[in-house]
Amino acid sequence: MTSTLRTPASAPGRLPVLGHGLQMKRRPAEFLLELQSGEPVVTIALGKRPAYVVNDPTLMRELLRDGDTFVRGGPMTDRFRSMFGNGLGISEGEFHRRQRALIQPAFHRNKVIHYTKLMSRTVAGKLDSWRDGQRLAVETEMDELALSNVVEVVFAGDPRLDRARFMAATTTVLGGLFRRITDVTGVLTRLPTQANRDYDAAAEYLRATIRRVITEYRAAGTDHGDLLSMMLFARDEEGRPAMSDEQVHDEVMTFFIAGSNTIANTLCWALHHVGADPEVQRRLHAEVDRVLDGRAAGYADVASLEYTRQVLSETLRLRTQGLFNNRVTARDAELGGYLIPAGSDVLYSFHAVHHNPRIYPEPERFDPDRWLPERARGLPRGAFMPFATGVHGCIGDQFAWTEMIVSLASIAARWRLEPVPGHEPKPVPAMTMPVDALPMTARRRTR
C-alpha cells in the first residue's frame, strides 16, 4: 500500500448507525440511497465498529470479482450460515471452488433444456387450474409454481413433499433471517418471542425434510436424473463420495431458497407491473401471441421473447431482491484508491444503485425500454448485476432467466391478470423482497 491511498470519508450527521433495520428513523433503503450521492466509499458505524459502504457500481463489480480479498464473513454471514451451513451461497476459497466445479454440470445447456421441459409442463398445469373471472392470490400461485419447478429439478418431483408446509416454512425462515441479519446486537432474536419460536420450528422442518429425502436417496441407490442424485453420486479421484450428506443438505437448502422464493417474488412483481400498465401489457401480449400462439413456452422460444426479458430486467431493477450484501476484507485492500484495512466489514447495495437517478433517470418509473440494447449499453459497468458476478455469482443464473421468461410468457399467452381496484401491493422486509399480497382477477385471453 502506498501513501497515496485515501481513507474512506465518514458520513457525520447522516444516521451513523445502520442497525436494527426498520427501527431506524429513516428506512435502510433511504439511507443507502442517500449514500449514493456521496463519495464512492464511505464509513458508517455498524454497531460498535465501523463499516465501509461501497457506493460506486464499478467498484462493486471489482469487489465481487476479487473473491480472495473480499470474502464472506462477519456477524451477518455467521447468522446466514446458521441456516444454510456451508453451501455455495456462503462457502469460501478452495472448498467453494471445488463445490462449484462439482455442481456446475447440473446447469450446462443440455441440462437447462431438460429442466425447461419440466417447467413448461408445470406452468401449463398451473394455468389449467385457473378459471375465467377467478380472483387469484398471485403471491401464493407464484410460490407454488416456483416451488414445483425447484422440486422437479432437485428432487425429481418427490411426491411425499408437503409443498404447502415447505413453502410456508421457507417464507418464515426468510423473514426471520432478515431480522437476525439486521439485529446488530443479536439480542432481539434471542428473546422467547412467538416470531423466534416460529423461525426455529420452520428452520428445523426444512432441515429435517431435506435430510429425510437425502437418506432415502442414499439408501435406494437410484439415480433419478435430478440435482440431488448428481450430488449424491459424485465421486472424487479415489472413487469415494465427493460430498458428505451434511454438505449435500447445505447445497440443497441453498438451492431451495435461491431457486424458489426469489423467482416467485420476481414473477409477482412483474405481473403486478404488467397489469398496472396497459401499454406494457399490450406489447407483452403482442410478443407472446406472435411467438407462442397460446401454448406454454419452451427453451427454443426464450431467445425470441425479447420484450418478456426486458419486462423481467426492469422488474429485477425496480424490485431488487435484497437490500444490501456484505463482505469482509481478508487482508488490507485497495478499492478505487481507498484503503480498507484487513478484517473490515464492507457493505454494498444493488438496490441503491438501481434507484440512483444519475444512473437510471426516473428510477421509480417502470420502463422496460431501459433494456433496449442501445440504451442498456450506456450503463456503467456493474450497474445491473441481478445475479452478482465473479466466483460467487449465481451458478444457476441462466436457469433462473429461462424459468422466469418461460413462466411469464406462458402466463401472458393464456391469461390477462387484472389488478384488484384499490389494492396497492407493498414489499415485505425480508432477505428477499416479497410482495405482501397480490390479489388479481384472471381473464382468459382470446387472440
Side-chain angles (χ1 to χ4, degrees):
M1 298 294 175
T2 70
S3 60
T4 60
L5 293 177
R6 296 174 287 171
T7 299
S10 62
R14 290 190 179 183
L15 189 61
V17 178
L18 185 61
H20 300 297
L22 298 176
Q23 297 180 14
M24 295 190 302
K25 292 181 180 179
R26 278 178 288 178
R27 296 166 56 201
E30 296 170 352
F31 174 56
L32 292 166
L33 181 57
E34 183 180 341
L35 294 182
Q36 288 276 306
S37 62
E39 290 195 41
V41 181
V42 301
T43 57
I44 63 171
L46 187 65
K48 296 181 179 179
R49 56 182 289 174
Y52 296 76
V53 182
V54 179
N55 299 309
D56 180 79
T58 303
L59 295 184
M60 289 183 190
R61 182 176 181 274
E62 185 179 328
L63 176 157
L64 290 172
R65 295 177 72 84
D66 187 357
D68 292 325
T69 301
F70 299 95
V71 301
R72 298 181 188 275
M76 288 189 288
T77 298
D78 292 343
R79 290 162 193 158
F80 198 85
R81 185 173 280 118
S82 70
M83 183 63 223
F84 298 104
N86 205 33
L88 274 184
I90 206 71
S91 59
E92 284 291 343
E94 187 57 37
F95 179 80
H96 176 89
R97 285 186 279 271
R98 173 183 177 273
Q99 286 298 110
R100 193 177 180 96
L102 286 170
I103 296 170
Q104 188 69 61
F107 295 98
H108 286 168
R109 181 174 180 274
N110 287 342
K111 284 289 189 179
V112 174
I113 291 173
H114 170 65
Y115 300 151
T116 306
K117 293 177 182 176
L118 302 178
M119 292 187 292
S120 296
R121 184 179 66 196
T122 300
V123 72
K126 169 61 71 177
L127 300 180
D128 286 342
S129 72
W130 295 352
R131 297 292 176 262
D132 196 20
Q134 179 184 2
R135 180 172 291 190
L136 301 172
V138 174
E139 72 282 5
T140 300
E141 297 293 319
M142 294 304 102
D143 277 345
E144 291 174 354
L145 176 61
L147 183 60
S148 294
N149 283 331
V150 78
V151 168
E152 290 285 354
V153 170
V154 178
F155 286 163
D158 179 11
R160 290 183 53 196
L161 183 70
D162 185 338
R163 299 188 182 199
R165 187 176 176 188
F166 199 96
M167 184 169 57
T170 300
T171 300
T172 299
V173 164
L174 286 169
L177 194 58
F178 180 79
R179 289 191 296 273
R180 280 158 171 74
I181 285 177
T182 54
D183 177 16
V184 176
T185 65
V187 172
L188 297 179
T189 53
R190 291 196 297 268
L191 297 175
T193 64
Q194 187 61 50
N196 287 337
R197 287 193 291 270
D198 290 345
Y199 174 89
D200 292 338
E204 182 52 37
Y205 173 76
L206 294 181
R207 294 189 187 102
T209 300
I210 292 171
R211 288 188 178 115
R212 187 258 308 165
V213 179
I214 289 171
T215 299
E216 291 173 356
Y217 268 49
R218 188 80 82 181
T222 302
D223 187 342
H224 297 277
D226 54 18
L227 179 60
L228 178 57
S229 295
M230 192 210 74
M231 290 191 287
L232 287 173
F233 289 102
R235 293 292 183 266
D236 63 17
E237 297 80 2
E238 279 121 37
R240 296 171 302 194
M243 299 186 211
S244 67
D245 283 5
E246 190 61 30
Q247 186 60 41
V248 173
H249 164 274
D250 293 347
E251 302 297 358
V252 170
M253 179 71 78
T254 301
F255 280 116
F256 259 108
I257 300 301
S260 60
N261 192 266
T262 54
I263 297 294
N265 295 344
T266 302
L267 289 172
C268 279
W269 286 116
L271 290 167
H272 162 66
H273 288 296
V274 169
D277 191 322
E279 178 59 15
V280 170
Q281 185 178 83
R282 183 194 67 77
R283 292 173 64 183
L284 178 64
H285 286 169
E287 176 172 90
V288 298
D289 288 350
R290 173 176 55 82
V291 176
L292 303 179
D293 193 26
R295 62 179 171 81
Y299 185 83
D301 302 310
V302 169
S304 300
L305 293 165
E306 297 175 354
Y307 190 70
T308 306
R309 183 183 286 266
Q310 288 177 219
V311 169
L312 288 162
S313 294
E314 181 66 346
T315 302
L316 288 166
R317 180 199 69 82
L318 184 60
R319 305 293 184 174
T320 308
Q321 293 294 292
L323 183 56
F324 62 88
N325 300 88
N326 83 296
R327 291 290 190 271
V328 172
T329 48
R331 51 184 175 242
D332 285 352
E334 182 269 326
L335 194 63
Y338 292 90
L339 172 64
I340 304 178
S344 298
D345 293 313
V346 181
L347 304 182
Y348 57 98
S349 172
F350 291 131
H351 182 280
V353 170
H354 292 165
H355 290 77
N356 186 332
R358 291 183 301 282
I359 299 174
Y360 296 99
E362 298 183 83
E364 301 308 316
R365 183 166 69 90
F366 187 80
D367 179 14
D369 282 343
R370 295 182 201 273
W371 304 103
L372 289 168
E374 60 273 20
R375 290 181 61 182
R377 279 193 293 267
L379 292 172
R381 295 190 79 179
F384 187 64
M385 296 186 293
F387 297 101
T389 188
V391 69
H392 287 108
C394 177
I395 194 172
D397 57 346
Q398 293 307 308
F399 169 78
W401 273 115
T402 301
E403 180 179 1
M404 290 189 297
I405 291 170
V406 165
S407 298
L408 180 60
S410 299
I411 292 168
R414 291 178 55 183
W415 295 94
R416 183 177 75 256
L417 299 186
E418 299 176 348
V420 171
H423 178 80
E424 183 63 30
K426 296 178 177 61
V428 177
M431 279 302 298
T432 55
M433 290 293 175
V435 62
D436 60 346
L438 186 59
M440 301 185 82
T441 302
R443 303 292 184 190
R444 192 181 302 276
R445 293 191 60 227
T446 57
R447 294 171 302 287

